[in-house]
Amino acid sequence: PPRREDARAPPPAPMSSARTVCAVVGGLALFGLSAWLGFVLNVRHAPAAPTLRKTEHHGLRPPKPRAGRSKAAKADDDLDAAAADRHHLHAEPHSPELIQWGDWSAGGRFSKPAPASFASHQGAYPPLANLWDIVGRWNPDNVTIPVPFRETLAVLNFSDAAERDLAVEYRNAEVPFKIYDVPDVEAVRDLWSDGYLIEQFDDRHGAQFKVERSTNNHFMYWRSPSASGRKAYPDWEAPTDLVHSSFADWLHGARSADSNKPHHETEHRYLMMGTPPLSSLRRNGQVKRTHFVAKGLPCFTPQTENFFVTDIPHNKGIQCRFGMRGVIAEAHYDGGRNMVAMLRGAKRYILTPPTSCGRLALVADRKHPSFRHSITDWSHRDIEAEFSKPDARGIDTVVREGEILYIPSYWIHYIASLKYSIQCNTRSGSPPNGEGEEDIEKCMGGGNIQPNARGGGKPKKKKKLRGAAGFPMVPPGAAQKDH
């Protein structure tokens, strides 16, 4: 039927401008009222940003909040559960030695001297012990840390201004010491996860490295012999093999070793890599950091000399060593001031001063592929005769994740990886006063101090290896090992 005109609804009346303004103002008022109530009642519509670092020192990171303690951790008889319960951001299984938030001692498992100036020791620092006593108490093949472990080196908080000044005193005195709470190191501890490292090494193919394989846990340093070296040592054979491996495969083996705890006489593998010297990274007065290691540790690749790098022209770059449980790097010395950062895991270092060189059977011939490294197996009892002598002295320390160890020039160091570990170090030239050089020359023979190891001036052009004519490969009467 036709629509009736009176059934149609009348068209809406147009809204006046005044009513439009009132509607807008009312809406804004309601929005403002809700925002004000949300602020008053502390209503948050997004999670608060986490506090990443201490405001004052920018060093160690705070712990994650936890609802409660596990029964195992309450009893404190399970080291793994206790370590996890101390809820440091970096905590992981089998890591009771980790430095915790506000607790360097890891629940009393480690102790250290109170911070003190170097001068206060009145010449009695570092406190050295007999080498035979050191290895007799804790055989290097045993990677279980004796608890409680008493540190005798100075251990200082780098993010505390007063303790940082003390660290400068020890460094300038050319004696070993340790620091912790270093911002760059803390950042790398967070960043260098397993996945991140696999991406850097394997996926991007941006980091060259090599993997050595040994039939046991000992790794003697070697380099390809020169022509004169091959002539002098025609029967020499490399003590380890170079093997092809992806980083992921090596890492799987290292992680498995922490769980399976292989015997020290079984196969071990050691991964090594490095970056170019700092002088080669400089472009137009600026350091160009392209390698992920240089990017992660700018304190080791500074624009100008700093606490860690005191001689840029003689800097050797950053050298990183990825160790699996039980790996031992044989004793040796380096001709440069050495800052060693532990970025994952823990390593044991036995440090001996240059005055003990004559007892350690260091290879004294520069032509030999293992020059300046010890051929003595520190884990065998046949070293007792030499290590018991009064001038065979050293100091024992555990460098834990987050710490940096300073090794002065020409101090001999013996290294044992206590678990999967990452250590990166950088070396500058020798100190201006040449501490240690005289003892090394007396022990190793004249001409065995690298010409550009002494600080100052431009680095000399690298020459071919020179032999030390008239000097034996090792000091007379030194015991040799069979690998």
Side-chain angles (χ1 to χ4, degrees):
R3 298 172 63 183
R4 295 175 55 182
E5 294 293 329
D6 57 357
R8 292 183 300 175
M15 183 179 291
S16 66
S17 60
R19 292 176 63 188
T20 301
V21 172
C22 290
V24 172
V25 171
L28 292 174
L30 287 174
F31 179 80
L33 179 62
S34 64
W36 179 79
L37 286 173
F39 176 78
V40 171
L41 298 177
N42 197 27
V43 176
R44 303 290 177 90
H45 300 288
T51 302
L52 293 181
R53 297 191 174 172
K54 293 193 292 185
T55 302
E56 180 181 359
H57 297 319
H58 305 288
L60 290 173
R61 296 175 180 270
K64 290 180 179 179
R66 289 173 63 92
R69 302 185 67 193
S70 64
K71 292 181 180 180
K74 286 180 180 178
D76 204 31
D77 57 355
D78 183 327
L79 295 185
D80 295 340
D85 192 63
R86 280 191 290 277
H87 45 253
H88 191 282
L89 284 180
H90 307 290
E92 60 182 67
H94 313 296
S95 300
E97 80 288 342
L98 280 181
I99 298 174
Q100 309 298 325
W101 171 254
D103 180 19
W104 175 91
S105 71
R109 291 176 174 82
F110 295 84
S111 64
K112 61 183 176 70
S117 67
F118 173 74
S120 67
H121 295 284
Q122 299 180 345
Y125 183 92
L128 300 174
N130 179 260
L131 274 181
W132 177 245
D133 291 340
I134 291 175
V135 298
R137 286 194 303 264
W138 183 12
N139 188 285
D141 284 335
N142 178 9
V143 298
T144 301
I145 303 173
V147 175
F149 185 85
R150 178 176 173 267
E151 287 283 1
T152 52
L153 283 181
V155 184
L156 304 165
N157 186 338
F158 187 75
S159 290
D160 181 282
E163 294 191 27
R164 185 165 59 249
D165 289 342
L166 295 178
V168 173
E169 290 184 25
Y170 286 90
R171 186 203 62 186
N172 293 345
E174 292 302 325
V175 291
F177 64 93
K178 295 197 299 183
I179 56 174
Y180 66 99
D181 202 349
V182 179
D184 286 355
V185 171
E186 294 301 309
V188 167
R189 291 174 69 190
D190 283 343
L191 179 62
W192 286 15
S193 64
D194 291 355
Y196 175 83
L197 292 173
I198 291 172
E199 179 184 8
Q200 299 301 317
F201 281 105
D202 295 344
D203 298 344
R204 296 187 177 182
H205 304 287
Q208 295 182 345
F209 62 93
K210 67 176 182 179
V211 176
E212 290 188 8
R213 175 180 60 195
S214 175
T215 57
N216 51 37
N217 62 332
H218 287 264
F219 285 78
M220 165 69 85
Y221 167 86
W222 61 274
R223 59 185 174 188
S224 298
S226 63
S228 60
R230 288 191 297 270
K231 184 178 180 180
Y233 303 99
D235 298 328
W236 176 85
E237 294 182 359
T240 58
D241 299 322
L242 293 178
V243 297
H244 177 75
S245 172
S246 67
F247 178 82
D249 287 343
W250 179 89
L251 180 62
H252 174 73
R255 290 294 193 185
S256 298
D258 282 346
S259 301
N260 300 332
K261 302 178 181 179
H263 192 269
H264 58 268
E265 290 295 340
T266 59
E267 179 182 299
H268 287 68
R269 297 192 177 194
Y270 198 18
L271 189 148
M272 309 169 211
M273 55 86 63
T275 68
L278 183 53
S279 57
S280 67
L281 302 181
R282 300 180 71 85
R283 300 288 186 276
N284 300 321
Q286 298 293 316
V287 175
K288 302 298 182 182
R289 303 181 182 96
T290 57
H291 197 286
F292 80 93
V293 172
K295 289 180 179 178
L297 293 169
C299 64
F300 280 5
T301 55
Q303 298 284 355
T304 57
E305 292 172 347
N306 63 4
F307 176 85
F308 305 97
V309 179
T310 56
D311 186 353
I312 287 178
H314 294 99
N315 175 260
K316 302 296 184 181
I318 301 175
Q319 307 300 318
C320 295
R321 301 291 182 263
F322 292 68
M324 63 183 292
R325 174 189 171 95
V327 162
I328 289 176
E330 305 296 5
H332 64 282
Y333 70 83
D334 296 304
R337 290 164 285 186
N338 199 354
M339 291 284 182
V340 182
M342 196 60 55
L343 307 174
R344 188 72 77 236
K347 286 187 175 183
R348 178 191 185 188
Y349 277 73
I350 303 177
L351 308 174
T352 65
T355 53
S356 296
C357 170
R359 300 297 176 188
L360 305 180
L362 301 180
V363 177
D365 189 346
R366 292 183 65 88
K367 296 189 297 293
H368 194 277
S370 297
F371 169 65
R372 67 185 170 80
H373 285 68
S374 173
I375 62 170
T376 298
D377 187 342
W378 290 28
S379 57
H380 285 188
R381 292 194 59 86
D382 57 8
I383 62 174
E384 181 175 2
E386 290 296 317
F387 277 30
S388 297
K389 299 293 177 58
D391 57 344
R393 310 185 72 197
I395 191 167
D396 205 2
T397 183
V398 174
V399 186
R400 300 151 63 198
E401 183 177 318
E403 292 184 322
I404 293 181
L405 168 68
Y406 178 64
I407 305 176
S409 288
Y410 305 113
W411 276 64
I412 297 98
H413 40 290
Y414 179 90
I415 313 165
S417 185
L418 305 178
K419 57 188 300 183
Y420 163 56
S421 60
I422 306 175
Q423 159 228 310
C424 290
N425 66 285
T426 190
R427 291 188 284 124
S428 300
S430 294
N433 295 328
E435 288 91 340
E437 289 183 5
E438 182 177 350
D439 293 310
I440 291 296
E441 287 186 336
K442 180 181 178 181
C443 167
M444 302 286 285
N448 280 308
I449 301 297
Q450 296 177 357
N452 64 353
R454 299 178 176 91
K458 295 178 63 177
K460 295 184 179 180
K461 185 177 180 180
K462 187 175 181 180
K463 299 180 180 179
K464 293 183 178 180
L465 296 179
R466 295 181 292 107
F471 294 96
M473 189 183 84
V474 296
Q480 299 190 15
K481 62 185 177 186
D482 56 4
H483 61 272

